[in-house]
Amino acid sequence: MNDSIAVSKTMKSDFEKNALFVAFSFPPIASAGVHRALRFVRFLPDHDWHTTILTAAPNAQSKLDLGLESLVPEGLEVNRVALVRPEEVIKDRMKSLMGRSRLSPHSDQAVEQQSGASGFQTNSEGASPSPSRRRSRFQLQRTRSQITELLFAIPDTRVGWKKNAVDCGLEIVRQSQPSVVYATGPPFSTLLVGQEIAKKSNLPLVLDFRDPWTRVPWGPRNKSWLANRWVAKLEEKCVRDAAAVILNTAELEQDFVTHYAHLPRDRFVSIPNGFDPEARLRVESYMDEAKSLPQDNKPFRLLHPGSLYRNRDPRQIIDAIAKVKQRGVHVVLEQVGFCDPGFDLENYAKAKGVGDRVEIHPAVPHEQMLRRMAEVDGFILLQPGTALQVPGKLFEMILFKKPILAICVPGAVSRIVNEFGIGTIAEDGSVDSIADAVCKMVGPIQLQPRWNDVASEFDGEHLTARLAKVFAKVTRNADARE
């Protein structure tokens, strides 16, 4: 007999179907992906599926939102496994050992202690090392980083969770006898956990990709060609073993269908992100409150609700605000959320002559953000560099029925905005395109938005029904093979 676990075939009624959900993040941990998994487990019982959760235990680095716990279904079994980081354990032990011995004058630590503020070792006259020495030092650091990744972070830095999570998952299988294993990533080590549990338990596996893994539009995730080749093989292994692969946009689904053309086409299906149905009532309440605010002589306010970092560069928007000011159009840009200090937005806006038309605010609690979204005139959605993904904020914006300025490349975001007529598209990196789009939003209404249709398309209950159909299909196929 092999090492797989024999799952009892005692008959269950249609109302006792159970799915093992493997999701690294789950309330009270707050992350971008937690809402999708939480939404599914909340509404699956309406489709005769119950869930058991396997997730990571919060640690000192975890962002927590205790309010999310109020949305967790009562009685839901949640199993939490601590994340172990082997590299940190080894580093701590090495530091302890090094601390007990004298440093060699040629050791790396001795070199670092002799370095100046720039981080480079100086000679006896205090001069910086030569360019060749700096290149050698950089190459050494890069090589160390690549080796560390290969040893401790394939496919990602959460891989230390895998062994204990698999052990816990196999015990859940013994006790709960699920009919299917569902795993969602990123982090993509979660997919490896689900794959191993399903294989050892002889259960159908459903993988849910919330992001691309190995074919990322903005470049490889990993630090070396060897690491990228390795994770590509891991992805292929997971996809090959899966009974179904879910992608969260039609564009990402097509990417997988094309790349894995040797696999059955019906293995791949798209289920987008969406919104919680009860959020509609809260939004309607906030909209009613906003109507009581003074409306006279107000400039048109555009809100970007969320973080700005890396290639989500808002300075092009400020340039556009300056252009529309020259055209005599009064628009105020509000940024609410983390903003990379490197953008230096306040000073940038002042230098462009629109310091009084750009407001920068820190992140606020979710409900406070919804209230602010109810008070503005339109939204900015910034999604540069990828045609495959849709920011989760788009689905909340839909509920407010206000025009959306999407700054993006042609792809998933532009398709939704254009298909339902809910906003205007501007080309990422083109100040003129953004300025023209802003003027369209402020001018006479030209859109004919299909708000009811788009809300129905991305309703969380409807999306969960599609997941339940996937579960039913893979379990039927598994039973037929037996």
Side-chain angles (χ1 to χ4, degrees):
M1 185 175 179
N2 60 27
D3 61 352
S4 65
I5 296 174
V7 179
S8 171
K9 299 301 179 185
T10 54
M11 296 298 293
K12 298 181 180 182
S13 74
D14 289 340
F15 295 91
E16 292 178 335
K17 292 179 293 188
N18 189 28
L20 170 58
F21 255 58
V22 186
F24 185 86
S25 297
F26 200 76
I29 294 177
S31 71
V34 74
H35 298 279
R36 181 174 173 92
L38 179 58
R39 188 178 304 118
F40 284 153
V41 301
R42 290 179 58 214
F43 296 117
L44 274 172
D46 295 339
H47 305 279
D48 304 331
W49 281 94
H50 299 272
T51 54
T52 304
I53 308 300
L54 173 59
T55 187
N59 56 36
Q61 287 74 45
S62 300
K63 288 178 58 180
L64 304 182
D65 184 347
L66 299 181
L68 286 176
E69 286 193 304
S70 64
L71 299 176
V72 176
E74 186 176 350
L76 180 70
E77 180 184 338
V78 180
N79 300 269
R80 302 187 187 277
V81 177
L83 170 64
V84 177
R85 295 186 185 272
E87 72 278 19
E88 293 182 0
V89 174
I90 293 174
K91 286 179 182 178
D92 289 342
R93 290 180 181 175
M94 290 295 291
K95 287 180 181 178
S96 178
L97 290 173
M98 293 296 290
R100 296 172 189 170
S101 62
R102 294 183 60 185
L103 291 175
S104 163
H106 302 294
S107 70
D108 288 337
Q109 287 188 345
V111 169
E112 289 172 4
Q113 289 177 4
Q114 295 168 24
S115 298
S118 65
F120 297 123
Q121 186 181 13
T122 58
N123 61 25
S124 59
E125 297 179 353
S128 298
S130 66
S132 61
R133 288 284 301 273
R134 288 199 297 269
R135 285 195 297 270
S136 297
R137 187 181 181 88
F138 172 78
Q139 185 60 46
L140 177 60
Q141 291 173 338
R142 181 182 178 186
T143 301
R144 285 177 175 171
S145 177
Q146 291 174 345
I147 292 173
T148 299
E149 180 184 55
L150 290 169
L151 290 174
F152 304 115
I154 298 295
D156 50 51
T157 57
R158 272 68 164 201
V159 71
W161 182 65
K162 179 175 179 285
K163 181 182 183 303
N164 292 339
V166 169
D167 291 342
C168 181
L170 294 176
E171 183 58 33
I172 293 171
V173 170
R174 290 189 183 96
Q175 295 182 8
S176 301
Q177 299 183 12
S179 302
V180 64
V181 176
Y182 163 97
T184 180
F188 297 104
S189 52
T190 309
L191 306 187
L192 301 183
V193 172
Q195 185 266 346
E196 188 167 337
I197 294 171
K199 189 169 185 178
K200 290 185 175 180
S201 306
N202 195 29
L203 289 170
L205 171 67
V206 175
L207 298 179
D208 185 13
F209 285 82
R210 303 192 313 274
D211 283 337
W213 183 358
T214 61
R215 295 171 305 286
V216 184
W218 52 86
R221 294 177 182 273
N222 299 95
K223 301 179 187 300
S224 68
W225 67 269
L226 182 58
N228 284 296
R229 178 174 293 186
W230 190 350
V231 296
K233 289 185 178 297
L234 291 175
E235 178 187 281
E236 183 176 8
K237 180 181 179 183
C238 287
V239 171
R240 185 181 65 244
D241 288 353
V245 178
I246 298 172
L247 299 315
N248 69 353
T249 68
E251 288 75 8
L252 188 55
E253 177 191 6
Q254 187 57 52
D255 172 81
F256 271 71
V257 168
T258 301
H259 188 77
Y260 295 105
H262 59 288
L263 296 177
R265 172 63 181 86
D266 62 359
R267 182 171 303 187
F268 304 95
V269 61
S270 61
I271 301 179
N273 289 323
F275 59 84
D276 293 334
E278 66 272 15
R280 278 181 165 180
L281 298 177
R282 303 205 310 276
V283 167
E284 289 174 1
S285 173
Y286 298 151
M287 291 288 286
D288 289 339
E289 292 177 8
K291 290 176 182 177
S292 65
L293 299 175
Q295 303 295 322
D296 295 336
N297 300 318
K298 287 176 54 180
F300 191 93
R301 286 187 168 266
L302 272 174
L303 170 66
H304 180 267
S307 298
L308 293 170
Y309 54 92
R310 295 194 207 126
N311 58 347
R312 278 197 169 96
D313 189 339
R315 289 173 291 191
Q316 58 184 320
I317 307 173
I318 293 178
D319 291 339
I321 297 296
K323 273 189 172 291
V324 301
K325 178 182 178 181
Q326 294 173 357
R327 300 178 190 179
V329 179
H330 193 176
V331 175
V332 173
L333 169 67
E334 287 190 34
Q335 161 60 27
V336 180
F338 169 78
C339 185
D340 189 330
F343 293 140
D344 194 18
L345 282 195
E346 290 187 358
N347 288 328
Y348 189 84
K350 290 176 182 177
K352 293 293 181 177
V354 289
D356 60 334
R357 300 191 179 191
V358 177
E359 300 177 5
I360 314 298
H361 303 287
V364 297
H366 185 241
E367 289 303 310
Q368 190 173 335
M369 179 70 88
L370 293 180
R371 288 179 183 274
R372 189 62 198 135
M373 291 172 75
E375 295 169 355
V376 299
D377 301 295
F379 303 117
I380 288 182
L381 191 71
L382 189 56
Q383 182 69 350
T386 174
L388 304 180
Q389 296 164 275
V390 177
K393 276 296 176 186
L394 173 62
F395 306 108
E396 284 190 336
M397 292 175 180
I398 287 170
L399 298 177
F400 291 89
K401 299 182 179 180
K402 296 180 180 182
I404 299 167
L405 167 53
I407 304 172
C408 59
V409 298
V413 170
S414 62
R415 173 179 55 80
I416 293 172
V417 172
N418 287 330
E419 179 180 348
F420 295 98
I422 57 176
T424 304
I425 305 298
E427 180 184 349
D428 178 45
S430 171
V431 174
D432 287 335
S433 176
I434 297 170
D436 290 343
V438 170
C439 290
K440 285 181 182 179
M441 296 180 73
V442 177
I445 297 177
Q446 301 175 0
L447 301 173
Q448 294 183 331
R450 295 161 48 209
W451 292 116
N452 291 335
D453 292 340
V454 72
S456 177
E457 180 75 12
F458 299 109
D459 183 290
E461 284 189 276
H462 298 170
L463 299 173
T464 305
R466 291 162 65 173
L467 178 64
K469 290 180 179 179
V470 172
F471 285 177
K473 177 182 176 180
V474 300
T475 53
R476 279 199 309 269
N477 290 344
D479 290 341
R481 284 194 298 269
E482 296 176 3

